[in-house]
Amino acid sequence: MPRTVRQRIVGALAKMYFKVAGRRLRQELGGGDAGGSPQGEALLRRAAAEGAVLLENDKTLPLTRKFALFGRTQKDTFYSGYGSGGDVLSPYHVCILDGLIAANAPLSECVRAFYEDFSAREPARKGGWGDWDFSNPEPAVPEEILNRAAEETDTAVVVIGRASGEDRDLELEEGSYFLSRGERALLCAVEKKFQRVVLLLNIGGLIDLSFLDEFHFSAVLVLWQGGMEAGGAAADLLLGKVCPSGKLADAVPMSYSDLPTAAYYGSPARVEYKEDIYLGYRHFETFAQDRVRYPFGFGLSYTAFLVTARYLGGAVEYCVRNVGTTSGREVVQVYVQKPGDSPARELIAFHKTAPIPPGGEERGRIPLEKRLFASYDAALHAFAVGGDYALYVGTDVRSADMVSTFSLKREIVEQLSPIAPPPLEEISIPARTGSHTLSDVKRGEIGLEEFCAELGLDDLEALAYGALKMDSPLGAPGNAGVMGGVTPSLRARGVPAVTMTDGPSGIRMRAPCSLIPSATLLACSFDEELLTSVYALVGREMAKRGSHVLLAPGMNLHRTPLCGRNFEYFSEDPLLTGKLAAAAVRGIHSSGAAACPKHFCCNNREFNRSRSDSVLSERALRELYLAGFEICVKESRPRFLMTSYNKINGVYAHYHEALVRGVLRREWGFEGCVVTDWWMRRGKRGGLKNNAYRVRAGVNVLMPGGTYIGKGYQYGGLKGALRRGRLTQDELRKNACEVLRAILPFVTGEEDVVR
Ligand code: GAL
């Protein structure tokens, strides 16, 4: 469909805006290595390369000769996913073709010209909320162009791309989870003409790879969605400037139907986690090793490593030697086989080496605490050890070698409680008079509880809500919501209006901000330090843009590859997820900003997400779906956390006092502020309903503040609960303490000017 004059004008203006915005971003955010600075851009380009996973290579990569680059995705590159986690106003994007051109790659000019012209004539449709296209229609390449290119070179590179995004899952259809007809036709046409064909996958989460059996690829490189520097990273990898070191954060099945969750995607109202603890590689390594195309933790390099390891009781000692011809990095992975009804392998530790030069080596120790060997015993409500264990060390779950077998005597390592609403705590925060400000608390002149005891009912109630709607005028432009000092009265008490912005791929607001690589890509780096550096960059941009809290990291497990938001999440494995989420939180905190890990919990599907019920066993909750959050909360102490939309075993997350007050707060020691996902569903328990029920459950703030319940933007209901004696003033003051404790680090000491 030819572009109209209007579209051309709009396109040109957009291009100009991004050029100006890019320059402005560099001016505004440059200085130091925030985004928009050469250092920041170099970091994001390196990060986008570190998460790429090389699945096949017959030495065709790195490319040293002229090649023909096919596939419209070279121009219409997917930099991130759609929705709150990807709609970042990036100052620029480097598509795969532009990255290669900038790197002076020896490209076939006739093919390049074809795609430049096609992309200008038929631009990809930009999707809206929940209606984005899974892929862009792939044009047929004229025979004469194929022939001309084949005369220039025997090497072709084909890019296949997929969108992903919020509020919509992939479909089991062509062009979504499966190849489209146009893509298949392109692969057929290219394979006929070229001896060597390299496949690049620019995808947000795993798609069907069974087509790899239909074609012969000299190399397969998964680029994922690499953020604004995606093209530069692709060029660095293809041309050998960077040696691939990414590892799969999800096992790749032979086909969709082999997945343990294929039969349990769920009905609109209910998702039964019947695979229980046997998710992903836990299933395949135990029951179906022959149904794995590429194992969890797998990834090739341009060099070769020799890994040796031994178990010293309490730690693994490793040596990684580079026996190849180029410098590279390896990921040492430690797996355990626990006794009894347990998966054949579980990841319990990993370490990514520094770059090791040819002939060089890295030695080190990976500590292993006893809790890593424990299984959850639902009868005892405890993590316990006891029996025979086997330890494996290697560079993917399948090839890891057994390094030790040993027995542990029966012992409870951690005694917990049933996941049920805990008994109400005795709270007593009696009212007191006074006119202190939160700055006085900051200065240590008055305690936080005493300050809360001075607050009147209106202030206490207002602290339990956001400032009603998204893009609140109280916060930075384009914010997701504001909480804390949402009324003049609270601001007069020195409570700042706290701006919350999305998301896992960078700051989503009405100002240019860096678009970082997707979480799935970053997970495949297996590099905690990298995550910390990338999110520290985002934290520095937050400081300059006026955002206090980043609604990230997204850390729900990849339970099904169809989940539209997998690009925002890390992996099928809880340990990898928890460690990388903690690294991201540390990065955000390092810049004075706050993180808000999400969505707590079991939000593993987008379809009907705000009403569906995730039904699963206590053991699956403890060993998988809570485990990542537990690691993140205990190791990085986030001050905020967001509940999920869905129900868990029949109770909406924003009312789930068993998980929020029982597990998160009481067991894990979380003392921060829990916010809902945006808006909430009607609900009641006993005499409490809606917001009173939520506050009693330990979910402090309704975001953005208005409710599905109210007409338009309004809130209320707590004073009524107080009047009826259902909710106590002590509980409301305790709620305020939890909110203000999380906000306190933002208090600058100057009184807020009442706006
Ligand atoms: C929701 C999303 C959350 C958060 C929120 C604010 O739709 O599930 O992760 O991004 O929007 O924009």
Side-chain angles (χ1 to χ4, degrees):
M1 175 181 62
R3 291 215 305 172
T4 62
V5 170
R6 181 182 170 283
Q7 280 173 328
R8 288 175 184 276
I9 293 169
V10 169
L13 289 173
K15 222 180 213 78
M16 201 187 305
Y17 171 78
F18 284 133
K19 265 198 181 10
V20 168
R23 229 189 344 268
R24 200 171 79 225
L25 185 74
R26 287 180 177 77
Q27 287 156 5
E28 286 177 17
L29 297 177
D33 53 359
S37 65
Q39 305 91 321
E41 290 158 6
L43 170 63
L44 297 183
R45 180 167 171 154
R46 176 168 71 85
E50 287 281 342
V53 182
L54 183 62
L55 296 178
E56 301 284 352
N57 189 26
D58 64 2
K59 303 291 183 212
T60 295
L61 292 182
L63 296 168
T64 54
R65 60 180 79 189
K66 175 175 275 197
F67 61 94
L69 181 63
F70 294 95
R72 67 169 304 166
T73 303
Q74 64 184 277
K75 286 290 289 181
D76 303 311
T77 302
F78 294 97
Y79 303 98
S80 185
Y82 289 102
S84 60
D87 292 347
V88 175
L89 194 53
S90 176
Y92 63 87
H93 296 108
V94 181
C95 69
I96 293 168
L97 176 58
D98 287 351
L100 285 164
I101 291 171
N104 299 316
L107 286 162
S108 160
E109 279 305 308
C110 64
V111 177
R112 181 192 61 72
F114 169 76
Y115 283 103
E116 295 260 33
D117 176 56
F118 174 80
S119 179
R121 275 186 297 106
E122 306 208 23
R125 186 178 85 87
K126 289 296 166 228
W129 189 274
D131 81 339
W132 34 275
D133 295 336
F134 294 111
S135 56
N136 298 313
E138 193 63 57
V141 180
E143 190 70 10
E144 69 271 15
I145 289 182
L146 282 164
N147 291 334
R148 268 168 57 196
E151 286 160 15
E152 296 172 28
T153 175
D154 68 352
T155 304
V157 176
V158 182
V159 197
I160 299 283
R162 279 294 176 278
S164 42
E166 185 170 353
D167 230 347
R168 186 175 192 202
D169 285 338
L170 273 69
E171 312 278 348
L172 290 174
E173 63 185 32
E174 293 175 341
S176 182
Y177 184 73
F178 297 107
L179 269 192
S180 70
R181 292 184 190 191
E183 290 162 345
R184 187 178 300 278
L186 175 63
L187 289 171
C188 289
V190 168
E191 185 166 70
K192 282 200 189 87
K193 304 285 184 185
F194 296 87
Q195 188 188 342
R196 303 165 192 275
V197 181
V198 174
L199 175 68
L200 299 184
L201 293 172
N202 168 212
I203 52 181
L206 286 182
I207 62 172
D208 174 63
L209 296 186
S210 60
F211 70 92
L212 298 188
D213 298 333
E214 298 171 43
F215 301 94
H216 171 70
F217 292 109
S218 296
V220 179
L221 179 63
V222 188
L223 295 173
W224 306 113
Q225 292 172 345
M228 64 189 193
E229 288 283 350
D236 291 342
L237 290 157
L238 288 171
L239 304 177
K241 193 173 172 193
V242 170
C243 175
S245 63
K247 303 287 183 178
L248 288 172
D250 300 292
V252 179
M254 295 305 277
S255 65
Y256 177 79
S257 58
D258 295 315
L259 286 164
T261 56
Y264 312 128
Y265 174 79
S267 69
R270 186 180 171 90
V271 186
E272 296 198 54
Y273 290 43
K274 288 192 174 176
E275 75 285 353
D276 201 59
I277 58 171
Y278 294 96
L279 176 64
Y281 76 87
R282 286 169 162 80
H283 162 80
F284 289 114
E285 298 309 308
T286 311
F287 305 114
Q289 285 199 353
D290 61 331
R291 303 311 300 155
V292 173
R293 186 173 294 277
Y294 298 103
F296 177 89
F298 176 81
L300 296 175
S301 171
Y302 291 154
T303 189
F305 295 99
L306 186 60
V307 177
T308 54
R310 60 185 182 145
Y311 181 52
L312 306 168
V316 159
E317 204 171 70
Y318 68 86
C319 172
V320 179
R321 188 166 301 121
N322 185 340
V323 295
T325 56
T326 182
S327 180
R329 303 179 70 188
E330 184 52 282
V331 179
V332 179
Q333 301 158 41
V334 183
Y335 297 90
V336 68
Q337 179 169 20
K338 301 172 183 175
D341 171 18
S342 296
R345 300 285 187 280
E346 294 176 62
L347 181 71
I348 56 171
F350 61 91
H351 165 75
K352 186 157 196 177
T353 69
I356 304 175
E361 66 178 41
E362 178 184 299
R363 293 174 176 274
R365 287 167 64 104
I366 302 172
L368 301 176
E369 55 169 13
K370 187 181 288 186
R371 173 65 161 71
L372 292 168
F373 296 93
S375 302
Y376 187 71
D377 183 327
L380 298 176
H381 306 297
F383 278 96
V385 294
D388 299 331
Y389 295 79
L391 204 68
Y392 298 81
V393 179
T395 56
D396 68 66
V397 71
R398 180 64 58 83
S399 65
D401 292 322
M402 184 189 291
V403 297
S404 174
T405 57
F406 52 90
S407 299
L408 292 175
K409 67 178 179 25
R410 184 83 177 138
E411 176 190 352
I412 286 183
V413 177
E414 185 180 13
Q415 182 62 58
L416 298 167
S417 314
I419 296 181
L424 270 184
E425 297 160 87
E426 284 303 314
I427 306 169
S428 169
I429 309 177
R432 50 176 276 157
T433 54
S435 58
H436 288 90
T437 69
L438 200 55
S439 304
D440 297 332
V441 177
K442 180 94 176 193
R443 286 188 289 269
E445 293 168 21
I446 182 176
L448 184 59
E449 282 201 3
E450 292 168 298
F451 173 74
C452 291
E454 291 181 2
L455 295 177
L457 190 52
D458 288 344
D459 287 344
L460 291 173
E461 178 174 53
L463 283 169
Y465 295 84
L468 294 185
K469 55 186 176 180
M470 300 181 80
D471 199 11
S472 163
L474 293 174
N479 62 72
V482 166
M483 49 80 73
V486 296
T487 62
S489 162
L490 281 168
R491 293 193 292 277
R493 300 290 293 251
V495 181
V498 170
T499 289
M500 300 189 115
T501 54
D502 292 307
S505 303
I507 312 167
R508 175 173 78 135
M509 62 187 293
R510 222 175 12 261
C513 294
S514 293
L515 179 67
I516 69 175
S518 68
T520 298
L521 180 150
L522 294 172
C524 293
S525 74
F526 276 70
D527 186 342
E528 293 167 84
E529 286 173 25
L530 179 68
L531 271 283
T532 299
S533 302
V534 168
Y535 281 96
L537 177 152
V538 177
R540 287 190 290 279
E541 286 192 11
M542 290 171 69
K544 302 219 175 178
R545 288 287 191 228
S547 169
H548 298 94
V549 182
L550 189 72
L551 302 175
M555 52 185 294
N556 295 100
L557 297 188
H558 291 174
R559 177 176 177 266
T560 165
L562 301 182
C563 177
R565 288 186 91 170
N566 277 356
F567 79 98
E568 286 185 76
Y569 306 151
F570 295 110
S571 167
E572 67 190 20
D573 180 79
L575 181 105
L576 181 61
T577 295
K579 291 290 188 181
L580 295 179
V585 171
R586 287 192 293 270
I588 296 165
H589 285 179
S590 69
S591 314
C596 182
K598 67 188 184 181
H599 306 88
F600 186 74
C601 60
C602 301
N603 184 177
N604 305 103
R605 185 185 85 174
E606 283 303 286
F607 176 47
N608 203 28
R609 61 182 181 160
S610 66
R611 291 182 184 278
S612 71
D613 187 3
S614 298
V615 179
L616 68 168
S617 73
E618 187 165 332
R619 186 178 179 193
L621 261 172
R622 292 282 191 187
E623 291 195 6
L624 268 68
Y625 298 92
L626 290 173
F629 285 99
E630 181 179 4
I631 293 167
C632 178
V633 166
K634 288 182 174 177
E635 295 191 7
S636 64
R637 311 311 297 173
R639 303 202 313 270
F640 294 83
L641 184 121
M642 184 194 299
T643 50
S644 58
Y645 278 123
N646 53 283
K647 295 175 187 174
I648 302 103
N649 291 336
V651 179
Y652 276 117
H654 46 255
Y655 296 125
H656 215 298
E657 56 188 313
L659 289 175
V660 177
R661 279 202 317 105
V663 174
L664 174 68
R665 293 185 183 282
R666 184 168 299 191
E667 286 180 12
W668 300 348
F670 179 81
E671 295 185 316
C673 174
V674 178
V675 302
T676 65
D677 200 337
W678 265 225
W679 302 290
M680 67 183 228
R681 293 285 167 197
R682 205 181 282 281
K684 62 182 174 185
R685 181 168 182 260
L688 294 176
K689 69 176 189 168
N690 303 332
N691 288 291
Y693 180 11
R694 165 179 63 80
V695 167
R696 169 75 54 85
V699 181
N700 306 106
V701 185
L702 167 64
M703 290 304 292
T707 70
Y708 280 125
I709 299 159
K711 289 185 270 312
Y713 294 109
Q714 64 174 357
Y715 63 71
L718 292 178
K719 283 187 263 190
L722 285 172
R723 269 197 306 279
R724 292 190 297 277
R726 306 290 190 186
L727 197 67
T728 68
Q729 296 220 17
D730 288 326
E731 286 180 287
L732 217 42
R733 290 192 192 101
K734 173 103 166 82
N735 190 69
C737 282
E738 289 165 349
V739 173
L740 295 176
R741 184 178 298 114
I743 290 177
L744 200 53
F746 297 133
V747 174
T748 58
E750 291 103 46
E751 296 303 338
D752 267 44
V753 177
V754 174
R755 275 188 266 191

